[in-house]
Amino acid sequence: MASAAANRARLIAASATVSLLSTWLFVQFSAPGGFNTLDGLRVALVAISTFWLSWGALLGIAGLFYRPKNSAPLPLSPPVGRCAVVVPIYNEDPVATFSRIAAMSAGLSRLGLHDQFDFVVLSDTNSPEITAEEIEWFDRLASQAEARGHFFYRRRSENIGRKSGNVEDFIRRSGAAYTYAVILDADSLMSPETLVLLARRMDADPTLGLLQTVPKIIGARTFFGRIIQFGASYYSSTFARGTALIQDAQGPFWGHNAIVRMTAFADNCGLPRLSGKPPFGGQILSHDYVEAALLSRAGWKVEVDPDIDGSFEEGPENIIEYAKRDRRWCQGNLQHARLLTAPGLHWWNRFTFLQGIMAYLGSPIWLAFLAASILSVGMPRTSYITFSQQVASNIAAWSLVGLITSLLVLPKFLIVISSALNGTNRKFGGMRAVLASAGTEIVFSSLIAPITLLMQTRSVFQVLFGIDGGWPATSRNERSLTLKQAWEASYWIVMIGAVVLAVTLAIAPNLFLWLLPVIVPMALAPMLIAYSSMVSDGRDGLLLMTAEEYNVVPTIDARDRVRSHWQSA
């Protein structure tokens, strides 16, 4: 297998080639009438956006060629090191959180391997009512579990540093008692076999500082939630394999569902407080990428293994909750601009920071290209266009549209074909069910793309203009939205769509049909947001079903039984 450095070089070269081809096609499309003052800007925007678009697409395609490292399977035997399963919580539903811990604990007891694992709940809850519930349900958890004495609850009176500060405080106070820590989110769930495997993998490689799993989303009930759940369950492992292929030992950390070596994390991952005020100063919000870079700088391996099963989380159930979470990630990723020149970091970690930044700058770049294109049509051209030049221009335009569409759809299509060949589709209900689900996901993702583009653009401008989004508590129970709620959250998108339509008809009517796929979703934003938040059970039509829904997963089933029992009590 080629080295990670060679794979990185190939991927960068391939993305640059696609970017150059896209730019050349755009120039051929624009050139016949002569260039005006906006065309140079449009060329630059096309080059930048298609590079990063092709980067994401090629990452997924590269994952199809991933081959896991040759390593013998590790037996389910007690790990050498003691492990803390750390669960930071902040105004969460205690029944939901502690029922997950109860299911994981029961699984470890069933395997007879609980002695090396403690569950540590780190509460930053600031609601007195929820705090009282946490104490009540934790007492029930600790008293009813087989492995008594392996549960700890600690609540901070001051939420300093938020989640990363909470974990850091635990490591400073109690980290020396443990060799490893599995860091979870409040909605995370892991099978006991996975917990043991992670610790055994750390035992087997003393240079491994962090091992990240690829969690699958479970428990979605709304149409939007099921779209996200299907995509994560069906596509994510392939894209993560592409990440593993090029990042190797300088891999990612996503902040949860991962195991860290306690000494490595404690010695190297103390986060600085950035100078100045938020949003660019203050606490680092997207701490996970920074912690991974600091471990790599100190010589520790940071790896992601897409082939580890039994790692789960829950996702947002509507577009508004998704946008709230995305707003925090946007601010955190843009903060990384200040860390690009931090001393001692590997160049690949700097590139990862840049990749995260461009994940959000890509939206305003596309919006700027759209605006420049509308305005450019209304500006005078310097030469007369012949019929043959017009034909060539149209061919170039449609070729560019086809190329961009391919970048968006081709990786998913290839994953469907590959999954059919290796038998994965059978776990998702067979080829017919997969095609229906994948087609639904692609169509709906295309429909809401203009909506999410505007939401991300707003987030970017809020950060650039100094508006701090903070770290709001996650509303995991927020599901269905009324049309009124959707309108209140998205009326500004409808207004922007109306302005784009009016300006297009006034100065660039020949672009009207081209812009319909953008304008129509903007106009329908409240309806799309409200409809997609409706509770939707795909079992009737076998639509958007995942492998975890077709086959009973013992840990998920145990969590459901505990939660049902507690809620009835």
Side-chain angles (χ1 to χ4, degrees), residues 173-195:
R173 294 172 180 270
S174 308
Y178 301 98
T179 314
Y180 316 124
V182 173
I183 300 177
L184 302 179
D185 267 353
D187 62 357
S188 297
L189 180 68
M190 276 195 183
S191 72
E193 293 83 2
T194 302
L195 290 171

Side-chain angles (χ1 to χ4, degrees), residues 282-518:
Q283 182 202 353
I284 296 175
L285 294 186
S286 294
H287 55 89
D288 35 22
Y289 279 25
V290 180
E291 289 158 346
L294 293 175
L295 285 173
S296 294
R297 183 175 70 174
W300 292 97
K301 292 181 182 177
V302 179
E303 296 181 350
V304 57
D305 190 339
D307 295 317
I308 295 177
D309 289 324
S311 178
F312 309 102
E313 63 174 334
E314 294 181 4
E317 293 276 46
N318 60 64
I319 295 176
I320 303 306
E321 284 303 312
Y322 178 87
K324 289 178 182 178
R325 184 180 70 171
D326 202 52
R327 170 63 176 85
R328 170 166 54 85
W329 289 351
C330 173
Q331 181 171 330
N333 282 21
L334 294 184
Q335 269 187 328
H336 291 166
R338 297 190 59 185
L339 303 175
L340 288 173
T341 57
L345 298 182
H346 295 291
W347 78 268
W348 184 252
N349 293 124
R350 301 182 199 275
F351 186 86
T352 302
F353 287 159
L354 181 61
Q355 180 182 348
I357 293 169
M358 291 306 302
Y360 289 94
L361 292 186
S363 290
I365 286 175
W366 274 111
L367 190 62
F369 173 77
L370 176 66
S373 297
I374 296 173
L375 296 175
S376 175
V377 171
M379 298 181 68
R381 296 284 166 174
T382 58
S383 62
Y384 175 76
I385 304 177
T386 66
F387 176 76
S388 61
Q389 288 176 325
Q390 184 65 56
V391 171
S393 176
N394 290 337
I395 292 174
W398 283 108
S399 298
L400 180 59
V401 170
L403 178 59
I404 292 175
T405 303
S406 296
L407 292 175
L408 294 171
V409 177
L410 183 61
K412 295 179 179 180
F413 175 76
L414 293 177
I415 291 172
V416 170
I417 299 301
S418 174
S419 298
L421 296 176
N422 62 29
T424 299
N425 284 349
R426 288 195 294 271
K427 300 177 182 179
F428 287 80
M431 191 65 177
R432 179 180 296 181
V434 166
L435 287 175
S437 298
T440 301
E441 188 273 333
I442 290 171
V443 170
F444 182 74
S445 298
S446 302
L447 275 176
I448 66 170
I451 300 173
T452 55
L453 179 145
L454 284 175
M455 288 180 169
Q456 283 194 341
T457 300
R458 181 179 65 172
S459 296
V460 169
F461 278 105
Q462 285 175 340
V463 174
L464 294 179
F465 282 99
I467 301 175
D468 178 22
W471 194 307
T474 302
S475 301
R476 304 189 197 277
N477 294 324
E478 291 290 337
R479 289 194 173 96
S480 297
L481 301 171
T482 64
L483 189 58
K484 179 182 177 182
Q485 290 172 316
W487 168 258
E488 291 172 348
S490 63
Y491 70 90
W492 58 277
I493 296 177
V494 178
M495 295 174 64
I496 290 175
V499 171
V500 171
L501 175 60
V503 173
T504 301
L505 292 176
I507 67 176
N510 56 324
L511 288 182
F512 173 71
L513 292 178
W514 289 86
L515 292 179
L516 275 181
V518 175

Side-chain angles (χ1 to χ4, degrees), residues 24 48 77 131 151 164 168 176 182 206 210 227-228 245 268 285 334 337 411 414 431 482 486 492 512 526 549:
W24 180 80
I48 294 171
S77 56
T131 298
F151 302 92
S164 60
E168 180 180 342
V182 173
L210 186 152
I227 288 281
I228 299 295
L245 191 65
N268 300 287
L285 294 186
L334 294 184
L414 293 177
M431 191 65 177
T482 64
W492 58 277
F512 173 71
E549 293 174 312

Side-chain angles (χ1 to χ4, degrees), residues 152-171:
F152 301 91
Y153 172 89
R154 193 276 329 259
R155 177 178 172 268
R156 295 194 302 170
S157 57
E158 295 184 32
N159 182 9
I160 299 174
R162 300 185 176 92
K163 175 185 172 181
S164 60
N166 203 354
V167 174
E168 180 180 342
D169 185 69
F170 164 72
I171 291 175

